[in-house]
Amino acid sequence: MSNETNYQLTLTLPTPEEFCALRKAAGLSPRSLASATRGLPNSLMGVSIRKQGQLVAMARVVGDGSIVFEVVDVAVTPSEQGHGLGKQLMRAVTNYLSEHAPADAEVSLIADVPADHLYAQSGFQPTAPESIGMAWHRE
């Protein structure tokens, strides 16, 4: 990571306010402050990267802690992209998974293009055509 001394990686969750702001800045679908406040404490693992105290990157792992794990909310603020922060996030995530996910656990993520290349570097592989990601949205 370039200028490593400018960045501080911690295995912590962002505040709900930071979470919502970074999702918006990174172009991810918005989440309400109420949802973030309720959901973040249910995370299995979180990783945050800060620059001068400001949240610039984050990722989480959610699931039941044994059978199913999902990597979610991987985000880097646009002004900090290209500095290896995504790789640092994924290294922390895969280290957590290596320590906590049993060999028979299902570990998944939904990859936006072109972020799928980042995830492939961390050992994630497309599941198609055997399976495809699907989503349900409340109407």
Side-chain angles (χ1 to χ4, degrees):
M1 178 170 24
S2 64
N3 300 320
E4 286 186 33
T5 57
N6 292 335
Y7 299 105
Q8 179 186 22
L9 183 148
T10 58
L11 297 179
T12 58
L13 294 164
T15 66
E17 294 83 3
E18 291 173 321
F19 173 84
C20 292
L22 182 53
R23 281 187 64 88
K24 182 177 180 181
L28 301 179
S29 56
R31 298 290 185 253
S32 71
L33 184 57
S35 292
T37 300
R38 183 175 176 193
L40 288 174
N42 296 313
S43 304
L44 295 174
M45 176 267 193
V47 55
S48 299
I49 300 177
R50 296 178 182 278
K51 181 178 181 181
Q52 299 173 341
Q54 296 293 111
L55 182 70
V56 296
M58 66 180 179
R60 295 190 307 140
V61 176
V62 298
D64 63 18
S66 185
I67 300 168
V68 177
F69 296 79
E70 185 174 4
V71 179
V72 296
D73 303 320
V74 178
V76 178
T77 195
S79 63
E80 300 298 326
Q81 291 176 3
H83 298 285
L85 301 183
K87 290 178 185 176
Q88 292 291 315
L89 292 172
M90 292 307 297
R91 186 173 301 120
V93 164
T94 55
N95 285 345
Y96 171 85
L97 293 168
S98 293
E99 292 177 24
H100 294 70
D104 64 345
E106 180 175 319
V107 179
S108 63
L109 58 78
I110 299 293
D112 293 334
V113 175
D116 58 318
H117 298 292
L118 168 67
Y119 305 132
Q121 292 174 14
S122 297
F124 286 83
Q125 301 171 3
T127 60
E130 292 84 15
S131 60
I132 59 169
M134 298 179 76
W136 177 85
H137 298 282
R138 185 175 176 174
E139 293 182 19

